[in-house]
Amino acid sequence: MNTTINLAPNGVLYLTFDKLTKAGVKHGFSTRIGGVSSGIYKSMNLSFHRGDDYENVMENHRRFAEAIGYNHLDTVFSDQIHETHIERVGIKDRGHGMKGEKGMPGADGLVTDEPGVPIMTFYADCVPLFFYDPVNKVIATAHSGWRGTIAGIGGKMVEYMCKEMGCNRDDIIAVIGPSICMNCYEVSEDVALQFEKEFPQSIHDELLHSKGNGKYLLNLWKANEHILLSAGIKSDNLDIPEICTCHNPELMISHRQTMGNRGNMAGVIVL
């Protein structure tokens, strides 16, 4: 799976991705396990905006950060409005989102080259994208739901890293993180038609499967793989763990599986 399941001494269970670990960058993706929240938020809910108790969420962040090894009070959050705006952040932005306010305005992608700035995006079926340039020491993360995927946020992040951060696309390591799989992700015909329009005919059979009656199964993993490879990410530098959030309700938080009654997981990366 190119993924390692880690159990920290404080009881937090989180995932790391082998290519990023081998490259030496600190990162992690949360699971349900190891937090203090209860009820529909059980237990490692990392969102301040789903109705959970603020103090519980703050304690969850403290525990998650302790497990991975960064200061939770320095974390910078994305805003996540299902668009493609990318925000460059740094020391001046540390802690943005940690007081319960929204994350960086309008940003579904965050990037930095400054050490000690943990950048975090949030998930409950949408696709997490992680990026690391080990040569120029640049990290990034992006939230790619179906709208962000159609708009190509992954490719836009690669372009941003190259044009604005001085990266070479040959050096960038990318990960498509835990998210909903094709077998669990049913969409309407209007969404399917948008994907057919935006993606080449050659991958349509892998991208979409018709269930009849205007319903389709959609493969966001394949779509994001195509986007990243087309943007110049080398296949040897791309990890796709293929862990389905909806198939693993005891480990993962899924919007579809819970019918929206849930908290959020998060992905973090820090220099």
Side-chain angles (χ1 to χ4, degrees):
M1 291 196 307
N2 305 319
T3 306
T4 299
I5 299 175
N6 308 271
L7 180 60
N10 65 359
V12 171
L13 193 74
Y14 66 98
L15 308 181
T16 51
F17 308 107
D18 294 351
K19 280 186 169 60
L20 292 178
T21 300
K22 185 176 180 180
V25 66
K26 194 175 292 184
H27 70 285
F29 190 85
S30 69
T31 69
R32 281 188 176 275
I33 311 302
V36 299
S37 296
S38 60
I40 65 171
Y41 309 109
K42 181 182 178 181
S43 67
M44 182 57 78
N45 166 46
L46 293 170
S47 173
F48 288 107
H49 305 291
R50 301 292 306 180
D52 196 1
D53 180 78
Y54 173 86
E55 294 302 329
N56 285 347
V57 179
M58 184 63 80
E59 175 61 14
N60 291 340
H61 274 283
R62 189 195 66 77
R63 292 185 179 199
F64 184 54
E66 179 183 55
I68 294 173
Y70 65 92
N71 185 344
H72 69 293
L73 297 176
D74 290 339
T75 312
V76 181
F77 292 178
S78 58
D79 187 11
Q80 297 187 197
I81 58 172
H82 293 269
E83 295 190 3
T84 62
H85 175 63
I86 295 165
E87 188 76 20
R88 181 175 182 173
V89 298
I91 296 295
K92 63 179 175 53
D93 303 300
R94 285 189 301 186
H96 193 105
M98 281 303 301
K99 295 179 181 179
E101 75 276 28
K102 287 189 175 182
M104 299 303 294
D108 278 79
L110 301 173
V111 61
T112 189
D113 59 358
E114 297 184 35
V117 183
I119 52 177
M120 178 174 282
T121 44
F122 299 88
Y123 303 95
D125 282 340
C126 290
V127 180
L129 301 176
F130 295 82
F131 303 85
Y132 177 49
D133 175 358
V135 176
N136 288 281
K137 305 299 182 186
V138 176
I139 55 172
T141 182
H143 162 262
S144 188
W146 74 260
R147 290 180 178 84
T149 298
I150 284 218
I153 190 171
K156 290 181 179 181
M157 180 63 82
V158 173
E159 293 301 318
Y160 189 99
M161 292 175 70
C162 292
K163 292 180 180 178
E164 303 296 331
M165 310 296 289
C167 299
N168 184 325
R169 64 193 73 236
D170 288 345
D171 298 324
I172 299 172
I173 298 165
V175 173
I176 297 171
S179 40
I180 196 165
C181 76
M182 183 180 192
N183 290 335
C184 294
Y185 194 37
E186 180 183 290
V187 297
S188 57
E189 186 173 25
D190 64 315
V191 173
L193 289 175
Q194 291 181 64
F195 275 85
E196 285 186 344
K197 179 182 177 181
E198 293 297 326
F199 290 85
Q201 178 70 40
S202 60
I203 69 166
H204 282 185
D205 288 345
E206 295 177 85
L207 189 65
L208 291 160
H209 172 72
S210 175
K211 297 179 66 179
N213 297 317
K215 301 296 183 182
Y216 291 78
L217 297 176
L218 173 61
N219 190 340
L220 289 177
W221 297 344
K222 184 64 182 179
N224 279 281
E225 177 188 26
H226 172 78
I227 288 167
L228 293 174
L229 293 177
S230 297
I233 298 295
K234 291 183 175 180
S235 58
D236 287 346
N237 284 345
L238 178 61
D239 262 351
I240 311 174
E242 297 187 352
I243 298 172
C244 176
T245 46
C246 193
H247 266 139
N248 296 281
E250 297 303 315
L251 185 67
M252 298 281 170
I253 297 172
S254 165
H255 182 83
R256 288 282 174 116
Q257 195 274 333
T258 62
M259 295 181 289
N261 298 307
R262 45 92 181 167
N264 269 342
M265 300 178 294
V268 68
I269 186 168
V270 57
L271 291 171

